Amino acid sequence: MMLKNPASKYRPFIFPFDMSDRTWPSKTIEKAPRWLSTDLRDGNQALADPMDVEKKMRFWKTLMQIGVKEVEVGFPSASQIEFDFVRKLIEEDHVPDDVTIQVLVQAREDLILRTFESLKGAKKACIHFYNATSPLFRRVVFGLEKSDVLALAVKAAQLIKDCAAKQPDTEWSFEYSPETFSATEPDFAVEVCERVMDVWEASPEKPVILNLPATVEVSSPNIYADQIEWFCRQLTRRASAIISLHPHNDRGTGIAAAELGILAGADRIEGCLFGNGERTGNVDLVTLALNLYTQGVSPELDFSDIRSVVNTVIHCNNIPVHPRHPYAGELVFTAFSGSHQDAIKKGFAVHETRNDGVWEMPYLPIDPADLGESYEAVIRVNSQSGKGGIAWILEQDKGLKLPRRLQVDFSRKVQEIADATGKEMQAADIWHAFEDAYYLKGTPKYELVEYIDSGARRAGVDRLFAGRIIHDGLETPVTGRGNGLMAAAVDALNAAYALGIEVLDYHEHALSRGTDAKAVAYVECRTADDRKVFGVGMDVDSATASVKAILSAANAL
C-alpha cells in the first residue's frame, strides 16, 4: 500500500557539491557522440530467454548495417554461448577493420583470464571491467571499505594490462566502470578512476574509457548532468579519458539523462537499440540518434530501413516494440484525430510548394520517408477521424481531390459506418463506401447509356443535350438545352423526371497523366426544397465525367 507520507521511507538524492556555475544548460549538441551498442550483452542479459548464437549473429549483422563501430558483444566468462559467439566473430572474420568488439568482465582474476582467452586473434578489442563503488553496495553487498574497492580496481587493471601485453597482435583499448557511479560519492568516483588511469598509463595519445553508469537512476537527469560535469572538472587528466555514459531508465528519464550528460561533457553513449536492458531498460539508441537527426545533426547511424531494425530486435529479443515507441512504433506517424489529420493534410499541401527541402510538418517531427516508411499510414480513419483524413486517404490511394463541401458530406457517411462498426476503416473500406455513396458501381436509379452534345453554343441558340438514360431499368430518351453541356444535361433530366435540381458548384481534374487518363468530376446541386446533394463522375472523357456526376447527384435524391 502506498504511504501517505513517502518521506518517512524514501529520501531524495542530494548532490553534495555546489554546481551553481554549471555550464551544461547553455550548451547544444552539435555532433554525435561515439556509440556503443550493448544489445549483445546488456540487452542479452535482460532477456528471459537469452539469445543463442544464431540470434546474436543476426543482431550483429543488423548493427553492422546500421553503422555501429563499437559493440559490446558479450560477457564471455559468463557462459559458453557468450564465449562461443566471440570466437565465431573472430575466427570467421565477421568483424570489419573499423569496428571494435568489446567484452565485459568483473574484477576477478579467473574471469579476466577466461575473457582474454576468448579474444585471441582479435584485430581490435576493448576490455571493459567494473566493480561496484557506491556506499550501499560497499556496505550491504560486498562488506568492503573504500580502500578495498580501490585495491580491487587497481589489481584488476594491472592484470588486464599484463594480459594484453601477452597478445600484442591485437589493438587493445581499456574501459573501466565504477559500477553504481550515480550513487557513489563523487570524489571517490574520481579517485578510483584516476588510480585505474595510473595503472593503464593513460595519455591523450592512448586515452582510456571511463564509463560513468547510472546503474540505477537515483535522481532527475539534471542532477546526473551535474555529476558528469563535476567529474570532468575534477579529473586531473581529462584529455586522457573518454567519458562514456551508460544510463538506465529506472525513472523513465534515461534518454534525457544521456542528452544532458552529453551537454555536460560526455563523449560516448552506451545503450541498446530500443533500450532493452535490465529492469526498466537502459538508454534507447534509436531514439537518441533520431533526436539528433531531427535537430539537423547527423547521428552517423543509418536507420533508413527502420522496419527491418524493428523486426530484428523483436525476433532476437522476443520483446515487442511498442506501437507508440518514438520513431519506430507502427502508430507513431499515424493520426486518427480529425484536427490532427486536417493539419497534416494542409502541411503536405504546403510542403509540396517549398523549394528549400526543409521539413516543417504539423505533428510529424521527422519525415517518415527518411526511415523507409510510406505515407500510406500517416492518416488512418476511425470514428475519431474527420474530413481531412478521409480526403487524404482518397487522394493518396485513388488520386481524388475532393472539394471541401464534398469532404464534409462524405466524412459524415464514413463516420456513420465507423460508429456502427467501432473499428478502424482501411483505405479499401473507405473507397467502397465512396463508391456506394456516389453510385459509382452497381445498378443506380439513373444511368447514362449515351448522349449527343451539339457542341459550342451559337449566338442566340442554347446548347443541345440529347441522350438516352436508363431509369429504374427502363431506357428512355431525354433532351435539354442550356448555356453549356452541364446546364443542358440538367435541363434534360429536370424535364424528363421533374427532379428540380440546379448546379451550385463544379470541379474536375485528371486522375493521372497521359492520353488515356481518367477524369473525375464533382458537382454540388440544390433541389427545389433547398436540399444539397453531391455527385461524382469518372470517365476517360472529361465531358462525359461531368454528365455522370449530374446523374450521380440525381441518384442521391
Side-chain angles (χ1 to χ4, degrees):
M1 163 175 250
M2 291 185 68
L3 303 174
K4 293 188 180 299
N5 178 26
S8 66
K9 185 173 184 178
Y10 300 100
R11 297 288 184 267
F13 182 84
I14 304 297
F15 186 66
F17 297 104
D18 178 28
M19 284 295 291
S20 57
D21 61 343
R22 61 180 62 83
T23 63
W24 61 262
S26 62
K27 296 179 180 178
T28 56
I29 301 176
E30 298 178 345
K31 66 175 184 177
R34 286 172 52 172
W35 303 106
L36 173 81
S37 163
T38 64
D39 288 277
L40 298 174
R41 195 279 301 171
D42 193 44
N44 183 56
Q45 288 178 301
L47 307 178
D49 299 310
M51 288 182 276
D52 57 21
V53 171
E54 179 274 325
K55 286 185 175 179
K56 279 190 169 238
M57 183 56 67
R58 175 171 171 174
F59 213 126
W60 166 265
K61 290 177 180 178
T62 294
L63 292 172
M64 294 302 98
Q65 290 166 0
I66 292 168
V68 181
K69 300 303 180 184
E70 299 177 67
V71 181
E72 196 161 77
V73 294
F75 204 140
S77 63
S79 76
Q80 191 62 43
I81 288 178
E82 297 284 281
F83 187 96
D84 291 344
F85 177 66
V86 176
R87 294 309 308 154
K88 181 179 181 69
L89 289 176
I90 296 169
E91 292 171 359
E92 298 181 7
D93 199 24
H94 290 291
V95 185
D97 291 342
D98 62 345
V99 171
T100 299
I101 56 173
Q102 177 171 303
V103 292
L104 186 69
V105 64
Q106 293 166 300
R108 281 176 43 188
E109 180 177 357
D110 58 327
L111 302 183
I112 291 171
L113 295 176
R114 175 70 168 164
T115 298
F116 271 93
E117 185 182 344
S118 75
L119 289 169
K120 286 181 179 178
K123 298 172 188 173
K124 297 169 69 174
C126 180
I127 296 286
H128 176 196
F129 92 95
Y130 68 94
N131 64 314
T133 56
S134 67
L136 178 64
F137 274 68
R138 295 197 309 262
R139 183 180 71 253
V140 174
V141 181
F142 298 110
L144 299 176
E145 300 296 328
K146 284 184 179 179
S147 58
D148 300 318
V149 171
L150 283 168
L152 185 63
V154 167
K155 181 180 179 182
Q158 185 63 53
L159 178 59
I160 287 169
K161 179 182 177 182
D162 294 342
C163 289
K166 296 175 183 178
Q167 295 178 212
D169 292 337
T170 298
E171 182 182 333
W172 294 104
S173 54
F174 303 136
E175 176 173 351
Y176 171 64
S177 288
E179 191 194 10
T180 63
F181 163 82
S182 53
T184 298
E185 305 94 328
D187 50 352
F188 183 57
V190 171
E191 181 181 3
V192 68
C193 285
E194 293 211 318
R195 292 288 298 276
V196 170
M197 291 176 73
D198 290 340
V199 174
W200 284 342
E201 301 178 273
S203 68
E205 297 73 32
K206 190 71 173 176
V208 303
I209 301 169
L210 297 178
N211 181 39
L212 307 181
T215 308
V216 177
E217 275 198 304
V218 295
S219 68
S220 53
N222 60 300
I223 293 179
Y224 185 58
D226 282 349
Q227 291 175 300
I228 303 306
E229 182 167 334
W230 190 91
F231 182 95
C232 291
R233 289 183 188 180
Q234 301 303 314
L235 201 65
T236 57
R237 287 171 289 167
R238 176 64 181 89
S240 300
I242 295 160
I243 302 302
S244 188
L245 305 183
H246 188 111
H248 273 253
N249 199 43
D250 303 89
R251 293 168 53 92
T253 59
I255 291 168
E259 291 183 328
L260 299 189
I262 294 171
L263 296 176
D267 308 299
R268 183 175 184 256
I269 298 293
E270 306 183 2
C272 295
L273 289 186
F274 293 111
N276 286 341
E278 293 179 275
R279 303 184 309 280
T280 56
N282 55 10
V283 76
D284 176 343
L285 297 186
V286 174
T287 302
L288 262 178
L290 293 177
N291 282 354
L292 291 180
Y293 184 80
T294 62
Q295 301 303 302
V297 176
S298 171
E300 299 178 11
L301 297 176
D302 186 1
F303 293 109
S304 296
D305 187 1
I306 193 71
R307 204 50 44 201
S308 174
V309 177
V310 169
N311 292 338
T312 292
V313 174
I314 291 174
H315 170 77
C316 295
N317 288 176
N318 198 26
I319 295 176
V321 172
H322 195 280
R324 297 294 182 189
H325 193 104
Y327 305 111
E330 66 177 44
L331 294 180
V332 294
F333 300 126
T334 300
F336 289 102
S337 160
S339 60
H340 289 203
Q341 292 174 342
D342 186 59
I344 291 170
K345 180 176 179 291
K346 291 173 179 174
F348 270 102
V350 172
H351 184 70
E352 290 176 0
T353 67
R354 296 188 68 131
N355 297 318
D356 57 9
V358 174
W359 182 258
E360 287 184 331
M361 189 65 59
Y363 300 111
L364 294 177
I366 193 172
D367 186 350
D370 289 358
L371 305 181
E373 301 286 79
S374 73
Y375 294 141
E376 292 179 7
V378 168
I379 289 176
R380 288 160 61 175
V381 171
N382 62 15
S383 61
Q384 303 300 308
S385 303
K387 64 183 186 304
I390 295 163
W392 159 272
I393 289 178
L394 285 174
E395 183 172 348
Q396 295 297 308
D397 194 50
K398 298 297 181 180
L400 300 178
K401 299 178 181 179
L402 306 188
R404 185 182 182 280
R405 287 196 293 273
L406 179 57
Q407 292 179 27
V408 173
D409 182 71
F410 181 55
S411 69
R412 293 194 192 104
K413 303 177 191 301
V414 171
Q415 281 203 308
E416 287 174 4
I417 298 171
D419 282 333
T421 62
K423 296 180 180 179
E424 178 187 352
M425 292 185 67
Q426 305 296 325
D429 301 323
I430 294 169
W431 172 242
H432 293 326
F434 189 80
E435 289 181 307
D436 291 340
Y438 302 106
Y439 303 93
L440 298 177
K441 65 177 182 178
T443 305
K445 187 177 183 70
Y446 299 96
E447 187 176 4
L448 178 67
V449 179
E450 61 180 356
Y451 73 96
I452 298 172
D453 172 23
S454 65
R457 184 185 184 194
R458 300 191 303 276
V461 180
D462 280 339
R463 194 164 180 170
L464 173 66
F465 175 90
R468 300 188 68 78
I469 304 293
I470 296 176
H471 173 230
D472 286 340
L474 297 176
E475 185 176 317
T476 56
V478 298
T479 58
R481 288 187 178 274
N483 59 9
L485 174 61
M486 292 183 65
V490 168
D491 182 62
L493 291 174
N494 283 338
Y497 306 115
L499 297 180
I501 62 173
E502 63 175 315
V503 175
L504 297 179
D505 195 22
Y506 170 76
H507 297 270
E508 69 172 45
H509 64 81
L511 286 174
S512 60
R513 295 179 179 178
T515 56
D516 59 347
K518 266 192 173 183
V520 60
Y522 314 100
V523 295
E524 179 183 358
C525 297
R526 181 168 56 199
T527 67
D529 57 356
D530 208 31
R531 283 189 297 143
K532 303 286 178 60
V533 291
F534 294 85
V536 179
M538 294 183 187
D539 199 89
V540 293
D541 175 61
S542 60
T544 303
S546 66
V547 174
K548 288 182 175 180
I550 296 294
L551 288 167
S552 170
N555 284 310
L557 295 173

